[in-house]
Amino acid sequence: MEAIILAGGLGKRLRSAVPSLPKPMAPIKGTPFLRYLFDYWLSQGIRHFILSVGYKHEVIRAKFGTKYKDIDINYSIENEALGTGGGLLLAIKQLRTKKPFLLLNGDTFFAVNLKNLLQCHKNCKSDMTLSLVEIRQNKRYSGVLLDKYGMIYSIDSPTNSSKNGMANGGVYIIESELFSNYQKQKPKKCSLEEELLPQLLIKKKRIAGFVSKNSFIDIGIPHD
């Protein structure tokens, strides 16, 4: 299975703690955060990584090159900032198969069981399945509402998500053809959570939610 990792953000909120590195390269006990992502998802069965990169992408490439433990790494390089949505649409062009792929945030570690996530995706006959984490007093993440069948019918922006509940944990299974209409034009800057996902809901695409209680770590701000 293939995985796209969104690693192109400017990381402005983390600059005071990691001034000279892109966020995914933040050292955790001397090891780049990105290496923890590689190791975990390799253990889950990922066999090809595509890194969506921009800011200081040379640092990432210098460290990891084009292989990690015999697994290929390709780079989708943004010449201008495209946001999470635009970065995803550009990276999709480097997928090698038409099978569902995994999408990961490059600044969060969510120990989701890939086998269980795929089973949920299959059972729900989804176009996309989001891994959800329970957050208390949520002020940072997109809040998610599920119907009784486990399908997502509403996604709030972080500014409107202040209550306890389910939030998007940044681990997705996506059908490779879901964004085929977007591939007909040059990717533009946009947000995956605030623009593309709401558009998919409006179009009545099937988006499921998979709730996981496993470890969730976000390194987006210095406190974390």
Side-chain angles (χ1 to χ4, degrees):
M1 189 173 190
E2 301 177 271
I4 294 174
I5 302 180
L6 298 175
L10 296 175
K12 292 181 178 180
R13 295 179 300 171
L14 200 61
R15 293 279 177 89
S16 62
V18 189
S20 60
L21 297 170
K23 269 194 300 186
M25 295 299 290
I28 312 296
K29 293 186 176 180
T31 298
F33 184 76
L34 187 56
R35 187 185 295 273
Y36 291 99
L37 289 182
F38 282 156
D39 285 340
Y40 179 76
W41 291 107
L42 276 174
S43 75
Q44 294 292 302
I46 297 301
R47 292 296 175 263
H48 176 216
F49 289 104
I50 300 168
L51 297 185
S52 172
V53 294
Y55 174 71
K56 291 186 179 291
H57 63 87
E58 302 89 351
V59 176
I60 299 176
R61 186 154 195 159
K63 178 66 177 180
F64 292 105
T66 58
K67 281 191 179 291
Y68 181 75
K69 296 183 178 179
D70 294 327
I71 301 301
D72 287 346
I73 301 174
N74 287 99
Y75 296 85
S76 175
I77 301 174
E78 301 173 22
N79 294 319
E80 56 182 345
L82 293 175
T84 52
L88 167 62
L89 296 177
L90 183 64
I92 284 175
K93 299 176 185 295
Q94 297 202 34
L95 291 171
R96 296 174 176 175
T97 74
K98 297 297 183 180
K99 297 179 180 179
F101 66 92
L102 186 73
L103 176 67
L104 306 168
N105 286 344
D107 59 359
T108 54
F109 178 92
F110 194 6
V112 174
N113 183 292
L114 182 56
K115 181 179 179 180
N116 293 343
L117 176 60
L118 282 168
Q119 190 61 53
C120 173
H121 182 77
K122 180 179 179 180
N123 291 346
C124 293
K125 299 180 181 179
S126 303
D127 296 304
M128 176 190 292
T129 301
L130 279 62
S131 297
L132 307 179
V133 59
E134 185 174 2
I135 300 289
R136 296 186 176 183
Q137 296 301 311
N138 179 25
K139 294 182 180 179
R140 287 176 55 191
Y141 306 100
S142 295
V144 174
L145 296 179
L146 298 171
D147 66 19
K148 62 181 181 180
Y149 302 107
M151 304 303 294
I152 294 172
Y153 66 87
S154 178
I155 300 175
D156 287 331
S157 68
T159 54
N160 294 327
S161 302
S162 59
K163 299 179 181 179
N164 298 347
M166 295 299 159
N168 183 0
V171 174
Y172 313 70
I173 292 290
I174 302 174
E175 292 293 320
S176 60
E177 296 299 318
L178 180 59
F179 293 107
S180 58
N181 287 340
Y182 292 87
Q183 297 300 307
K184 299 175 183 178
Q185 54 191 347
K186 182 180 178 181
K188 299 179 181 179
K189 183 177 182 179
C190 64
S191 166
L192 171 60
E193 289 190 336
E194 297 185 18
E195 294 178 66
L196 294 186
L197 283 179
Q199 289 173 16
L200 292 174
L201 288 175
I202 291 172
K203 294 176 181 179
K204 304 298 182 182
K205 296 298 183 180
R206 293 183 62 81
I207 303 180
F210 174 77
V211 179
S212 175
K213 296 184 180 298
N214 292 347
S215 178
F216 175 78
I217 300 169
D218 185 336
I219 64 162
I221 60 176
H223 174 76
D224 292 335

